[in-house]
Amino acid sequence: RALGHEMEVIEVPDELSAAGRPLAKEKVEKETSYVVSNAKARYLLGYSDVVGCVEALTETARWLVNNLPEENKMKMVLQDPFDYETEDRILEAYRKGDLRAASQIKWKKEPGYGYFYYGSEKNPADPRSQAEKHSGDYDPIKVKRVKRKGGEVPSKL
């Protein structure tokens, strides 16, 4: 429970989780369920969480609500069309056991992988190639890569 709302986590097959691509980052054919453990850090370094997971998520949600980015920037970075109507239609078909119908529902705008995704999959919301993403020099003032003078691109990436 965060910000006065009950939330439900729903597990769906990878082929229906287009909006979850930034978390999966892999092809549908690959195993995309990941288990992460901090056991080694706890054992070797004596690490312990400062706050629990639920409290951390609640605090993060509160911070995000109080520090909302501009809507256009948020949509560009997340590349999530926030198409809840389509998500609901997919879930309704899936809950009825009709995986075929659920997988045939089209998004109004195909979700991307997130602006900062650099994985091997083509990002539907970002037409740049990997070479284009990695070309140029990093400008810490603009917080992005900028073209080199003369438009030169490095030969090796």
Side-chain angles (χ1 to χ4, degrees), residues 91-119:
L91 282 174
E92 181 182 349
Y94 176 69
R95 284 181 167 148
K96 289 179 180 175
D98 195 345
L99 184 60
R100 185 169 182 262
S103 64
Q104 291 177 346
I105 295 170
K106 301 292 182 209
W107 295 90
K108 291 174 188 167
K109 180 180 181 221
E110 184 74 13
Y113 286 78
Y115 187 74
F116 298 104
Y117 173 74
Y118 281 92

Side-chain angles (χ1 to χ4, degrees), residues 46-63:
Y47 171 83
S48 65
D49 293 331
V50 177
V51 296
C53 182
V54 172
E55 184 182 348
L57 287 171
T58 300
E59 287 301 313
T60 300
R62 282 189 191 123
W63 185 89

Side-chain angles (χ1 to χ4, degrees), residues 16-140:
L16 300 180
S17 63
R21 285 184 187 140
L23 301 174
K25 294 190 282 189
E26 299 291 338
K27 288 185 178 179
V28 169
E29 301 88 47
K30 292 183 180 180
E31 176 60 45
T32 56
S33 296
Y34 297 98
V35 175
V36 179
S37 171
N38 64 6
K40 190 171 184 179
R42 285 185 284 129
Y43 177 75
L44 294 175
L45 305 172
Y47 171 83
S48 65
D49 293 331
V50 177
V51 296
C53 182
V54 172
E55 184 182 348
L57 287 171
T58 300
E59 287 301 313
T60 300
R62 282 189 191 123
W63 185 89
L64 289 169
V65 165
N66 292 324
N67 297 277
L68 286 174
E70 296 172 26
E71 187 174 337
N72 289 339
K73 277 188 182 177
M74 186 168 57
K75 284 185 178 182
M76 179 191 75
V77 170
L78 296 177
Q79 295 180 352
D80 184 336
F82 299 99
D83 184 359
Y84 302 121
E85 180 184 318
T86 300
E87 288 179 11
D88 289 344
R89 289 176 48 228
I90 291 170
L91 282 174
E92 181 182 349
Y94 176 69
R95 284 181 167 148
K96 289 179 180 175
D98 195 345
L99 184 60
R100 185 169 182 262
S103 64
Q104 291 177 346
I105 295 170
K106 301 292 182 209
W107 295 90
K108 291 174 188 167
K109 180 180 181 221
E110 184 74 13
Y113 286 78
Y115 187 74
F116 298 104
Y117 173 74
Y118 281 92
S120 59
E121 294 298 305
K122 182 179 181 317
N123 186 343
D126 186 351
R128 299 176 300 162
S129 68
Q130 292 296 334
E132 290 170 317
K133 289 179 186 178
H134 294 281
S135 66
D137 293 313
Y138 182 75
D139 183 333

